[in-house]
Amino acid sequence: MRIKSIVILLLFAGLIGLAFYTAMDEKEEQQTEVKEEENTGLKRGSKAPTFSLRTLDGKQVDLNDYRGKKVIINFWATWCPPCRDEMPEMEKFYNEYRNKDIEILAVNLEYSETNTEKVRKFVQEYKLSFPIPLDEKNTIGKQFRAVSIPTSYFIDEKGVISNSHIGPMDYDFMKNEIDKMNR
């Protein structure tokens, strides 16, 4: 009986030790994750979170591939009236500035669309020439907190957020934001 009690006591002590060790290990992992993400965020001056998505035409787009260029990331959907309003302005801006190391990535929140064909028809109707990455599962929309759309982020050549904007943009607004980055 005494040996059985000792075995149970040792087993119990071992389980407590294992629980303590696991809790400490998880705490260290959380601290490590925070350290890795310290410079990343959505505020002005923070490094923009990176992402990789497929475009409407099947190409892979990775935000890191645009280092050295200024980037406007725009979150939108075909059913959004303000998004529809800003698309001709974005196209006009893109046509004038794309050869000046400025890129627009118009991330379609595809999870909210009825089908991809609707997005394709929208792009054709508006004659959009900038890349249209598709956020099929809303992972990037969530990451960038694009709750209200359109939502846009202005990112400098080093991948740092210079500003964000909720609501439709016009040509002059985009030009002013890019000009601010040049100062």
Side-chain angles (χ1 to χ4, degrees), residues 106-168:
V107 178
N108 176 264
L109 299 175
E110 189 185 22
Y111 78 97
S112 71
E113 302 284 359
T114 53
N115 62 50
T116 306
E117 192 55 36
K118 191 172 185 176
V119 179
R120 193 175 313 286
K121 287 178 182 176
F122 181 94
V123 169
Q124 289 170 351
E125 177 186 339
Y126 284 81
K127 297 177 176 74
L128 303 178
S129 58
F130 42 80
I132 310 288
L134 302 173
D135 190 1
E136 298 170 350
K137 297 178 182 171
N138 195 28
T139 53
I140 308 309
K142 282 182 183 176
Q143 186 177 19
F144 277 82
R145 296 186 190 130
V147 178
S148 297
I149 56 174
T151 294
S152 300
Y153 287 87
F154 294 82
I155 300 170
D156 72 12
E157 299 93 333
K158 296 176 185 171
V160 175
I161 296 173
S162 68
N163 201 8
S164 62
H165 178 74
I166 297 173

Side-chain angles (χ1 to χ4, degrees), residues 57-122:
D57 58 1
K59 295 178 184 171
Q60 195 71 24
V61 170
D62 190 314
L63 183 58
N64 286 332
D65 293 342
Y66 294 93
R67 287 286 162 81
K69 292 185 175 189
K70 295 174 180 80
V71 179
I72 300 171
I73 301 173
N74 175 264
F75 293 92
W76 68 284
T78 60
W79 50 263
C80 162
C83 300
R84 290 176 167 272
D85 291 343
E86 76 178 351
M87 286 297 167
E89 296 287 313
M90 288 171 55
E91 182 63 23
K92 177 181 172 185
F93 180 85
Y94 184 70
N95 285 328
E96 188 169 322
Y97 282 88
R98 70 174 159 198
N99 294 327
K100 299 177 183 176
D101 285 334
I102 298 170
E103 188 64 64
I104 292 177
L105 297 176
V107 178
N108 176 264
L109 299 175
E110 189 185 22
Y111 78 97
S112 71
E113 302 284 359
T114 53
N115 62 50
T116 306
E117 192 55 36
K118 191 172 185 176
V119 179
R120 193 175 313 286
K121 287 178 182 176
F122 181 94

Side-chain angles (χ1 to χ4, degrees), residues 25-39:
D25 193 42
E26 286 176 3
K27 188 174 180 181
E28 283 180 34
E29 282 180 12
Q30 288 173 351
Q31 288 174 346
T32 302
E33 289 172 15
V34 169
K35 286 179 185 175
E36 289 173 0
E37 297 177 6
E38 269 179 27
N39 296 331

